[in-house]
Amino acid sequence: MSEQSFDVVVVGAGPAGYPTAIRAAQLGLSVACVDDWRNADGTRQFGGTCLNVGCIPSKALLESSELYHRAGSEFAAHGISVDGVGLDLDAMQKRKRGIVKQLTAGIEALLKSAGVTAIQARGRLLGERKVEVVGDDGTSRLLAAGHVVLATGSTPIELPVAPFDGERIVDSAGALEFSEVPARLGVIGAGVIGLELGSVWGRLGADVVLLEALDAFLPMVDEQVARDALKQFKRQGLDIRLGARVTGAEADGDSVAINYEAGGREERLEVDKLIVCVGRRPVTDGLLAAESGVELDDNGFIIVDESCRTSAPKVWAVGDVVRGPMLAHKGTEEGVMVAELIAGHAAEMNYATIPSVIYTAPEIAWVGQTEAEVKADGRDYKVGTFPFSANGRAKALQQAAGLVKLIADREYDEILGLHIVGPMAGELIAEAVLAMEFSASAEDLQRTIHAHPTLTEALHEAALSADKRAIHALNR
Ligand code: NAD
C-alpha cells in the first residue's frame, strides 16, 4: 500500500475540519484534509453538514420564505399593495442550491490555494497516527501524520418510533428538499431545527404542528426570552404542543399517522410530511480502528480535554464530534486553536462566550449565562431589559416585538449574559460577545456610543436599564 507523509492529517472538511486544515497550512505545516461527504445524488462536495444540508441552505430558505411571508402580510402596513404574491418553490430551491454550490466550491478553492492536499475519500484512523484512505474505486492508501485532527461532525438522531423513510418521514436534510409545500406538516422536537424548519414551511403556507416532549419551551434559553418568543411563534400560527411524547408514526400512502401522549391522554395527528429533529449524534462509525487509542464517552463523543486532545498522543478532535454545543462557529474556533497548538503557539478557547442563534422570526440570540444559571450560582446580580417596541429602528422595520435582556454582577458590574429575542438578534449579539470577551462591565456598554437610529440602541438601553438609567423606558 502506498504511503504519503504529512505534518497534519485532518479527517472531515466541515466548518471544524476545513479551517483547521487552512490554519495549519498558513502556519507552514504540510496538511492533508480527507473528506467523505456525499450528497443525496452521490456527488461529492466539501463543507460538511453546515454548507451542504445545514446552516447555509436553511438560512437561504429562511430568508426567501420570510420575504414571501412579509410581502403577503406586512407590505400593506408600509402602504405597499401587492396583488397576488406568488410562490415559485422551484426558483426558491434553485437559488438555495446555487448558494450552496458557490460556497462549497469556495471551500475547495480555499483549501487548494492554502496548499492543502484535499482528498475526497473515506478516512480511518489506525494506530501510530496512520490514516487509511479508501477511494471510490476501493483502492486504499496510507497517510502517515505527525498529528491527526478528527472533525467528522454529527448526524440526525433517528427515533425508533418514527424511522426516516426519506419520503414522508424525513430528517432536517430531507426537510430542505420538499418540492412542494406540504399542506399539513408535523415536526417532532421544538428545538432549534424544528423551529427554523417549521417556520420556513409555515411561512410558505403549511399548517405546522410541533410536538415537543418536554414541558418547558427552549429550556436552554433564558426563561423570560423563551416565554416572549413562544408567544410570538404562537401568534404566527405555529401550533407548538409541549409535553407531547410521540409513541409512533407510520407513513401510509399520502400521509403520516402520528400517535402521541400529552397530559395523560393518547392523541392522534395526521400530516402530509413529518420532520424528525430530536437532536444530533456524533459521527465516528468506522472511523477508529481498535489500535487508534481514541476513546469515546457513553454518548459516542470523542473524549477530549479543554485543548481538544484525545486519549491518543498527537490525535486531536474538534467540532460536533466532541463535547460542547453543536455549533459551526464553536468547531471552527476549536480547529484554529488546535492548528495553533500543533504549530507550537499558545492558544486557548473561551467557551463562556460562544454565541447561540436561532434563526426564526424574530431571531433569538444569546451569550453567557441565563438568569436561572446566574441565580443557581448564588451570585448577586442585576437585570436590565429593553423592549424593541420602544426602539425607533425596529418600529421603522415593522418588527418592534421582543426585547433585550442584560444580566450583570451587582457588585462587580461584569456582564454575565445577554439575551435577545427580536429583529436581527443574530447580528446584534456580536456586540455582547465582544463586550464579554473583553470582560466588559454594564457601565462599559452604557458609555459606548451607539448610532441612532439603530437596533443596537436596544442593547445600550438594556445596559442603562440595569442601573435604572434607561432614557426611553420606565425604570422600574
Ligand atoms: P435540539 O436539541 O435543539 O432539539 C431537539 C428537541 O427535540 C428537544 O427540545 C427535545 O426535547 C425534543 N425531543 C427529543 N425527543 C423527543 C421525542 N421523542 N418527542 C418529542 N420531542 C422530542 O436538536 P435539533 O433541533 O435536532 O438540533 C440539533 C443540533 O444542531 C443542536 O445542537 C442545535 O443547536 C444544532 N443546530 C443549531 C442551529 C443554529 O445554530 N441555528 C441550527 C440547526 C441545528
Side-chain angles (χ1 to χ4, degrees):
M1 207 185 299
S2 70
E3 187 172 312
Q4 245 182 314
S5 293
F6 293 91
D7 294 328
V8 182
V9 173
V10 181
V11 184
Y18 78 77
T20 313
I22 290 174
R23 185 66 192 128
Q26 285 171 350
L27 291 164
L29 301 166
S30 63
V31 184
C33 185
V34 186
D35 186 82
D36 190 36
W37 183 269
R38 226 179 249 285
N39 296 308
D41 65 2
T43 56
R44 289 186 174 279
Q45 255 165 204
F46 289 105
T49 298
C50 165
L51 276 90
N52 288 296
V53 295
C55 314
I56 299 305
S58 66
K59 279 359 145 231
L61 289 185
L62 278 156
E63 190 63 33
S64 299
S65 60
E66 192 179 346
L67 284 178
Y68 171 74
H69 181 72
R70 290 177 66 190
S73 66
E74 257 178 39
F75 279 19
H78 288 271
I80 306 168
S81 50
V82 277
D83 285 334
V85 178
L87 174 65
D88 182 345
L89 186 56
D90 279 350
M92 205 177 267
Q93 294 284 26
K94 198 167 159 218
R95 186 189 90 99
K96 177 201 78 180
R97 280 193 289 275
I99 294 169
V100 169
K101 213 170 178 61
Q102 277 176 7
L103 291 177
T104 50
I107 301 302
E108 194 167 356
L110 287 170
L111 287 168
K112 201 170 163 196
S113 58
V116 174
T117 302
I119 303 168
Q120 288 178 309
R122 191 153 186 77
R124 175 175 161 81
L125 180 63
L126 311 177
E128 304 293 321
R129 298 184 306 284
K130 297 252 163 96
V131 176
E132 182 189 26
V133 173
V134 182
D136 287 345
D137 58 2
T139 56
S140 55
R141 57 177 161 146
L142 281 184
L143 308 180
H147 292 258
V148 174
V149 185
L150 303 171
T152 44
S154 62
T155 193
I157 292 174
E158 184 161 26
L159 272 185
V161 293
F164 302 127
D165 66 9
E167 177 55 36
R168 299 256 151 221
I169 305 178
V170 299
D171 61 12
S172 52
L176 291 166
E177 294 300 327
F178 294 158
S179 53
E180 53 189 71
V181 180
R184 301 166 303 171
L185 175 66
V187 180
I188 305 184
V192 179
I193 296 181
L195 289 168
E196 291 183 351
L197 292 177
S199 296
V200 165
W201 297 107
R203 291 169 193 158
L204 297 180
D207 276 333
V208 183
V209 179
L210 293 106
L211 301 172
E212 166 58 53
L214 298 177
D215 293 325
F217 180 61
L218 292 178
M220 67 290 204
V221 173
D222 183 86
E223 214 179 310
Q224 185 180 0
V225 167
R227 219 180 311 123
D228 191 286
L230 181 60
K231 212 167 54 193
Q232 296 197 53
F233 296 150
K234 284 192 165 170
R235 213 177 290 141
Q236 287 166 18
L238 286 181
D239 183 348
I240 300 171
R241 302 183 189 173
L242 300 174
R245 183 163 287 280
V246 174
T247 51
E250 212 174 314
D252 179 16
D254 288 345
S255 63
V256 183
I258 307 163
N259 292 309
Y260 67 97
E261 290 167 11
R265 289 184 21 200
E266 294 284 336
E267 305 279 357
R268 202 175 155 82
L269 176 72
E270 199 178 283
V271 295
D272 303 308
K273 296 268 189 190
L274 175 63
I275 310 173
V276 181
C277 35
V278 293
R280 300 178 61 86
R281 63 170 176 83
V283 173
T284 54
D285 319 327
L287 174 69
L288 304 167
E291 66 272 24
S292 72
V294 173
E295 287 173 20
L296 306 183
D297 70 14
D298 292 344
N299 295 315
F301 289 94
I302 296 177
I303 297 172
V304 289
D305 66 10
E306 71 285 357
S307 299
C308 294
R309 288 183 183 86
T310 70
S311 47
K314 298 186 180 178
V315 178
W316 313 68
V318 294
D320 283 7
V321 79
V322 306
R323 84 289 174 259
M326 287 187 172
L327 298 171
H329 45 284
K330 172 259 193 187
T332 299
E333 291 311 314
E334 285 180 335
V336 169
M337 168 183 74
V338 164
E340 303 265 348
L341 291 171
I342 291 173
H345 297 280
E348 59 181 10
M349 165 120 180
N350 185 1
Y351 284 90
T353 55
I354 299 173
S356 295
V357 184
I358 306 179
Y359 294 87
T360 40
E363 291 179 353
I364 303 170
W366 70 97
V367 58
Q369 292 182 297
T370 63
E371 185 172 352
E373 286 166 348
V374 173
K375 205 180 269 178
D377 277 357
R379 283 180 95 142
D380 193 10
Y381 66 95
K382 55 189 177 182
V383 171
T385 56
F386 190 79
F388 281 105
S389 58
N391 175 273
R393 187 71 192 275
K395 283 276 189 210
L397 286 167
Q398 195 66 22
Q399 291 176 45
L403 64 116
V404 177
K405 173 172 180 177
L406 174 139
I407 306 163
D409 187 282
R410 183 170 293 286
E411 189 181 355
Y412 300 106
D413 202 34
E414 179 191 0
I415 301 170
L416 303 174
L418 194 132
H419 308 265
I420 309 173
V421 51
M424 308 297 277
E427 303 295 328
L428 295 174
I429 200 65
E431 175 178 347
V433 176
L434 191 67
M436 287 185 66
E437 186 59 35
F438 289 178
S439 305
S441 61
E443 186 186 349
D444 288 324
L445 268 199
Q446 292 167 358
R447 289 182 180 277
T448 302
I449 300 170
H450 291 71
H452 174 77
T454 63
L455 297 171
T456 65
E457 288 173 289
L459 275 75
H460 188 215
E461 290 275 6
L464 289 168
S465 147
D467 289 322
K468 305 205 183 309
R469 295 181 44 196
I471 302 291
H472 296 92
L474 296 177
N475 292 291
R476 291 209 185 92

